[in-house]
Amino acid sequence: MIQVFIPLYNDITYFPRALVSVLGQQGVELEVIISDNASTDGSYEHALQIAAGDPRVKVFRNASNIGPIPNLNRFREYVSADYYMVLCSDDALGDPTALCKAQTILDSDSEIVSVYSDMVYIDGNDRKLATRRFRATGVFDAHRALRNSILSYRNCFGIPLLNRKAACADLRYPEQMTYVADVYLSYRAAERGRVFHIAEPLIWNRYTGRNLTASLFSQSTRQFAELIEILDLPINSWDRLVRAFRLATVIPSKYIFLKIARLRS
């Protein structure tokens, strides 16, 4: 059994597409868990409508808006299956065999705790912006991925396609580091086992220039610096020079990318 946890808040535009991409997965037994954060735009009602016709969909609702990260962390309360995925409501699975491929990996090796994949960046109209290749195949070095993330101001793990509950479900996304929360949690999970990368674009990661990632972008520089302190990472003079250079190149390119995504959406 696989459970896909979708935190939801006022996303009637893209959430239905995310849900369809999950329910259309082939070759797996699955359940979708939706945690609605007091939506007011019809998202919650749409989730209930789908759940009424599909027993695989379970809907929970917070009495009031508790914030994005606390709602994200509610996966720890609801997930009970051996394997799970946390999927943002505006993203989607880009291949109907994505979860089956990830489950095959976890079934084959009990030491693997998380499976990742390449991804396609899409705009608000489901059009491709770019393909993100992580240059990894099979088991990869989480320490190197963390170091590259710190030096480049980018998430070099990717989005977890599937996690092993026994190893990961007690971890929490940090509320004080919203932009780098994925990097933090990925590394903490990797401390408990091995991580695996499928070199196929199995996830669609949406950028509209208006979503949560864009709103948090201004905090990225500070939060990557905080991540170094929290994880007590050794940073030498060369690392500082590389980070300064990347700050001058990557951050402006991200800004331009978000602007393009907004214009296209």
Side-chain angles (χ1 to χ4, degrees), residues 5-6 8 15 19 31-37 43-52 54-62 78:
F5 176 83
I6 303 178
L8 176 63
F15 161 64
L19 190 53
E31 181 176 80
V32 182
I33 300 173
I34 298 164
S35 178
D36 180 71
N37 205 12
S43 298
Y44 173 64
E45 290 75 15
H46 179 79
L48 289 179
Q49 181 181 7
I50 299 300
D54 193 327
R56 296 177 297 171
V57 180
K58 310 296 181 185
V59 183
F60 300 89
R61 181 174 171 84
N62 300 326
Y78 298 136

Side-chain angles (χ1 to χ4, degrees), residues 108-203:
S108 68
D109 189 340
S110 61
E111 293 186 4
I112 294 175
V113 297
S114 300
V115 177
Y116 296 80
S117 75
D118 294 340
M119 65 179 72
V120 174
Y121 295 145
I122 59 173
D123 64 18
N125 298 306
D126 292 347
R127 295 177 301 185
K128 178 181 175 180
L129 289 164
T131 299
R132 176 85 187 272
R133 303 285 185 182
F134 288 82
R135 300 178 182 177
T137 301
V139 173
F140 66 95
D141 187 339
H143 293 282
R144 178 177 295 178
L146 176 64
R147 175 179 169 78
N148 289 341
S149 298
I150 294 298
L151 295 182
S152 68
Y153 294 90
R154 301 186 74 188
N155 179 353
C156 293
F157 287 89
I159 297 174
L161 187 60
L162 212 56
N163 298 296
R164 190 180 300 276
K165 178 182 181 294
C168 305
D170 65 319
L171 296 171
R172 297 179 63 92
Y173 290 92
E175 293 187 37
Q176 73 276 22
M177 295 190 300
T178 46
Y179 189 84
V180 299
D182 284 335
V183 175
Y184 172 86
L185 207 71
S186 290
Y187 182 70
R188 286 305 192 199
E191 290 180 317
R192 302 178 175 189
R194 301 197 293 174
V195 286
F196 192 99
H197 188 91
I198 301 174
E200 298 178 49
L202 303 177
I203 297 176

